[in-house]
Amino acid sequence: VIQSSSPSNPGLGFVHLSGGGTPSNNAPLSATGYVGFYLKVHPTGVAAGDLQTALLVDDGSQLESATLTDVIADGQWHLYQWNLDDVHHWTSFELGNGAIDQNTVTLHGLYFTSQRNLNFTVFLDMVAHYPGGELVHEPLPGDYNGDLLVDAGDYLLWRATFGAHVNFGSGADGNGDG
């Protein structure tokens, strides 16, 4: 759990350091595939677009930042991930060159920023790297809307698509027969 207020200077951010507070404790990762994490943010005073996050990596020369992504502050778990192989997913951070140009990277930290003064609580789970492609979660039976919860939202989707033919991920299909 990260509890913080944004800096007194809106527009600046803060970094939640990895590796026990020192990134040098981190094991090198191959610079291929996807890297990301799950976040859940309590929406206390946080509106859409108020808070952004990125992952900071060290590619051996300087720090690179994943492109900033809007945080969904709805109290639900959401996956944020970036492709290490895609130059459009990376920008310069602290004299970096905006590209992952080494064979390995280490995680430096999670970066949060806002243009407003905010007070928020962030829950972090499963910082992960998968060299083979995108990070995906195992489907949760009954989680038809993909928010990692089985709740009324799933029931409403099930009810709205009951009896209809659906493609994977586009409706409620508990037995997988389409």
Side-chain angles (χ1 to χ4, degrees), residues 62-84:
Q62 297 292 336
L63 292 181
E64 310 300 342
S65 171
T67 53
L68 286 170
T69 301
D70 287 341
V71 172
I72 302 168
D74 62 1
Q76 306 297 315
W77 288 103
H78 297 279
L79 174 63
Y80 300 87
Q81 64 180 329
W82 296 268
N83 185 347
L84 290 164

Side-chain angles (χ1 to χ4, degrees), residues 55-124:
L55 188 64
L56 302 178
V57 299
D58 184 343
D59 68 351
S61 56
Q62 297 292 336
L63 292 181
E64 310 300 342
S65 171
T67 53
L68 286 170
T69 301
D70 287 341
V71 172
I72 302 168
D74 62 1
Q76 306 297 315
W77 288 103
H78 297 279
L79 174 63
Y80 300 87
Q81 64 180 329
W82 296 268
N83 185 347
L84 290 164
D85 301 310
D86 188 342
V87 297
H88 297 100
H89 284 206
W90 299 95
T91 61
S92 173
F93 191 87
E94 289 189 13
L95 304 176
N97 64 5
I100 306 297
D101 52 9
Q102 301 295 318
N103 292 330
T104 61
V105 298
T106 55
L107 298 179
H108 179 78
L110 308 182
Y111 180 71
F112 296 91
T113 187
S114 177
Q115 294 299 315
R116 295 182 7 167
N117 290 327
L118 299 173
N119 186 14
F120 56 90
T121 301
V122 175
F123 294 86
L124 169 66

